[in-house]
Amino acid sequence: VGDSTRYRIASISKLVTAIGLMRLWEQGAFVLDDDVSTALGFTLRNPAYPNTPITYRMLLSHRSSLQDGTGYSDFLSATYATAPPPPISQLVAPGGTWYTADLWRTEAPGTYFTYSNLNFGVVGTLIEALSGQRFDVYMRQEVLLPLGIAGSYNVQDLNDLDHLAVL
């Protein structure tokens, strides 16, 4: 370990991802209380609350009512094994290949905090939809490089893997 060692930052990447989404907000691409379904191209709703839109604010604050249910791990595996990766709708929409009812909490969207990785999978999908760029490319160009951060959401962008810390 030295001053050039690069680390996987795991859940701290959610903060950086939020910065990427908020850059799009600054450009007027959305309003925090907009229904994300419009940008996603499919309706994202907790089936128990079909009339309650899921908003950007809810996703960013872990109050969307999404949680990492039993289908989440299999969906992640499929994203690594398939090119192109399957759409997130196949995980979060009823009838999707990896959909499981336990992806949704019993509380109404916007009323309950529960930490969820899945919220930020949706945020990444929104960044792609709103920017027209692949998530890792957008984040590198619009957030990491302007901040002088020699990192990436794609390990293939790193030029010296000998300086990558192993978990």
Side-chain angles (χ1 to χ4, degrees):
V1 174
D3 62 358
S4 62
T5 302
R6 295 185 183 161
Y7 295 88
R8 290 186 59 193
I9 61 171
S11 289
I12 295 172
S13 68
K14 290 175 181 66
L15 170 66
V16 181
T17 300
I19 291 169
L21 185 65
M22 294 308 290
R23 299 257 321 175
L24 290 162
W25 173 80
E26 287 175 332
Q27 296 166 15
F30 66 92
V31 173
L32 283 170
D33 294 315
D34 283 349
D35 180 350
V36 298
S37 299
T38 303
L40 289 173
F42 67 91
T43 302
L44 181 66
R45 294 286 190 278
N46 181 325
Y49 302 93
N51 296 321
T52 304
I54 307 297
T55 68
Y56 294 86
R57 185 184 310 272
M58 289 176 191
L59 290 168
L60 290 168
S61 63
H62 295 279
R63 294 181 304 111
S64 69
S65 76
L66 278 167
Q67 62 185 358
D68 301 341
T70 54
Y72 181 71
S73 291
D74 289 339
F75 175 75
L76 283 183
S77 295
T79 66
Y80 298 131
T82 310
I88 201 161
S89 61
Q90 290 295 306
L91 174 63
V92 297
T97 303
W98 294 275
Y99 176 82
T100 55
D102 66 348
L103 290 166
W104 294 102
R105 295 200 50 89
T106 58
E107 298 85 6
T111 65
Y112 187 82
F113 171 88
T114 190
Y115 184 86
S116 172
N117 294 304
L118 181 50
N119 283 315
F120 281 80
V122 177
V123 169
T125 302
L126 287 165
I127 288 172
E128 289 186 341
L130 295 168
S131 72
Q133 295 181 331
R134 203 174 69 202
F135 172 75
D136 63 305
V137 172
Y138 172 85
M139 291 300 296
R140 188 167 168 87
Q141 291 175 351
E142 298 297 324
V143 178
L144 299 174
L145 291 177
L147 291 173
I149 298 172
S152 180
Y153 282 80
N154 184 341
V155 72
Q156 294 174 342
D157 289 338
L158 303 176
N159 57 8
D160 189 359
L161 293 181
D162 292 333
H163 289 108
L164 184 63
V166 178
L167 292 178

